[in-house]
mmCIF file of all heavy atoms in Angstrom:
data_model
loop_
_atom_site.group_PDB
_atom_site.id
_atom_site.type_symbol
_atom_site.label_atom_id
_atom_site.label_comp_id
_atom_site.label_asym_id
_atom_site.label_seq_id
_atom_site.Cartn_x
_atom_site.Cartn_y
_atom_site.Cartn_z
ATOM 1 N N ALA A 529 14.110 20.290 -12.397
ATOM 2 C CA ALA A 529 13.142 21.363 -12.176
ATOM 3 C C ALA A 529 12.094 20.950 -11.155
ATOM 4 O O ALA A 529 11.713 21.734 -10.285
ATOM 5 C CB ALA A 529 12.482 21.731 -13.503
ATOM 6 N N ALA A 530 11.629 19.702 -11.251
ATOM 7 C CA ALA A 530 10.651 19.200 -10.289
ATOM 8 C C ALA A 530 11.247 19.150 -8.891
ATOM 9 O O ALA A 530 10.587 19.492 -7.897
ATOM 10 C CB ALA A 530 10.172 17.814 -10.721
ATOM 11 N N ASN A 531 12.519 18.733 -8.799
ATOM 12 C CA ASN A 531 13.192 18.685 -7.497
ATOM 13 C C ASN A 531 13.366 20.081 -6.915
ATOM 14 O O ASN A 531 13.245 20.284 -5.702
ATOM 15 C CB ASN A 531 14.551 17.997 -7.633
ATOM 16 C CG ASN A 531 14.425 16.516 -7.904
ATOM 17 O OD1 ASN A 531 13.411 15.912 -7.573
ATOM 18 N ND2 ASN A 531 15.456 15.926 -8.490
ATOM 19 N N LEU A 532 13.669 21.042 -7.783
ATOM 20 C CA LEU A 532 13.818 22.425 -7.333
ATOM 21 C C LEU A 532 12.518 22.943 -6.738
ATOM 22 O O LEU A 532 12.498 23.559 -5.667
ATOM 23 C CB LEU A 532 14.249 23.307 -8.504
ATOM 24 C CG LEU A 532 14.282 24.834 -8.230
ATOM 25 C CD1 LEU A 532 15.291 25.145 -7.140
ATOM 26 C CD2 LEU A 532 14.599 25.591 -9.515
ATOM 27 N N LEU A 533 11.424 22.702 -7.437
ATOM 28 C CA LEU A 533 10.123 23.155 -6.957
ATOM 29 C C LEU A 533 9.767 22.483 -5.636
ATOM 30 O O LEU A 533 9.257 23.127 -4.714
ATOM 31 C CB LEU A 533 9.045 22.863 -8.002
ATOM 32 C CG LEU A 533 7.631 23.365 -7.677
ATOM 33 C CD1 LEU A 533 7.635 24.868 -7.457
ATOM 34 C CD2 LEU A 533 6.664 22.990 -8.766
ATOM 35 N N ALA A 534 10.047 21.179 -5.524
ATOM 36 C CA ALA A 534 9.745 20.458 -4.291
ATOM 37 C C ALA A 534 10.580 20.992 -3.131
ATOM 38 O O ALA A 534 10.093 21.140 -2.003
ATOM 39 C CB ALA A 534 10.007 18.966 -4.490
ATOM 40 N N THR A 535 11.852 21.316 -3.391
ATOM 41 C CA THR A 535 12.736 21.840 -2.347
ATOM 42 C C THR A 535 12.263 23.199 -1.870
ATOM 43 O O THR A 535 12.214 23.483 -0.672
ATOM 44 C CB THR A 535 14.176 21.938 -2.877
ATOM 45 O OG1 THR A 535 14.614 20.637 -3.275
ATOM 46 C CG2 THR A 535 15.112 22.479 -1.800
ATOM 47 N N LEU A 536 11.918 24.080 -2.823
ATOM 48 C CA LEU A 536 11.421 25.401 -2.458
ATOM 49 C C LEU A 536 10.134 25.313 -1.655
ATOM 50 O O LEU A 536 9.934 26.011 -0.662
ATOM 51 C CB LEU A 536 11.190 26.238 -3.723
ATOM 52 C CG LEU A 536 12.448 26.715 -4.460
ATOM 53 C CD1 LEU A 536 12.069 27.335 -5.793
ATOM 54 C CD2 LEU A 536 13.230 27.699 -3.608
ATOM 55 N N SER A 537 9.239 24.409 -2.083
ATOM 56 C CA SER A 537 7.959 24.256 -1.400
ATOM 57 C C SER A 537 8.149 23.763 0.023
ATOM 58 O O SER A 537 7.524 24.259 0.963
ATOM 59 C CB SER A 537 7.075 23.280 -2.179
ATOM 60 O OG SER A 537 5.867 23.058 -1.499
ATOM 61 N N SER A 538 9.034 22.760 0.225
ATOM 62 C CA SER A 538 9.258 22.206 1.561
ATOM 63 C C SER A 538 9.980 23.184 2.467
ATOM 64 O O SER A 538 9.870 23.118 3.686
ATOM 65 C CB SER A 538 10.035 20.890 1.462
ATOM 66 O OG SER A 538 11.312 21.115 0.906
ATOM 67 N N THR A 539 10.764 24.110 1.865
ATOM 68 C CA THR A 539 11.460 25.110 2.662
ATOM 69 C C THR A 539 10.487 26.157 3.189
ATOM 70 O O THR A 539 10.543 26.570 4.351
ATOM 71 C CB THR A 539 12.557 25.793 1.821
ATOM 72 O OG1 THR A 539 13.482 24.793 1.375
ATOM 73 C CG2 THR A 539 13.298 26.837 2.638
ATOM 74 N N VAL A 540 9.594 26.594 2.322
ATOM 75 C CA VAL A 540 8.627 27.611 2.724
ATOM 76 C C VAL A 540 7.514 27.021 3.582
ATOM 77 O O VAL A 540 7.080 27.602 4.565
ATOM 78 C CB VAL A 540 8.037 28.286 1.473
ATOM 79 C CG1 VAL A 540 7.005 29.338 1.874
ATOM 80 C CG2 VAL A 540 9.151 28.923 0.646
#
Side-chain angles (χ1 to χ4, degrees):
N531 290 336
L532 173 62
L533 184 58
T535 301
L536 288 171
S537 177
S538 63
T539 301
V540 179

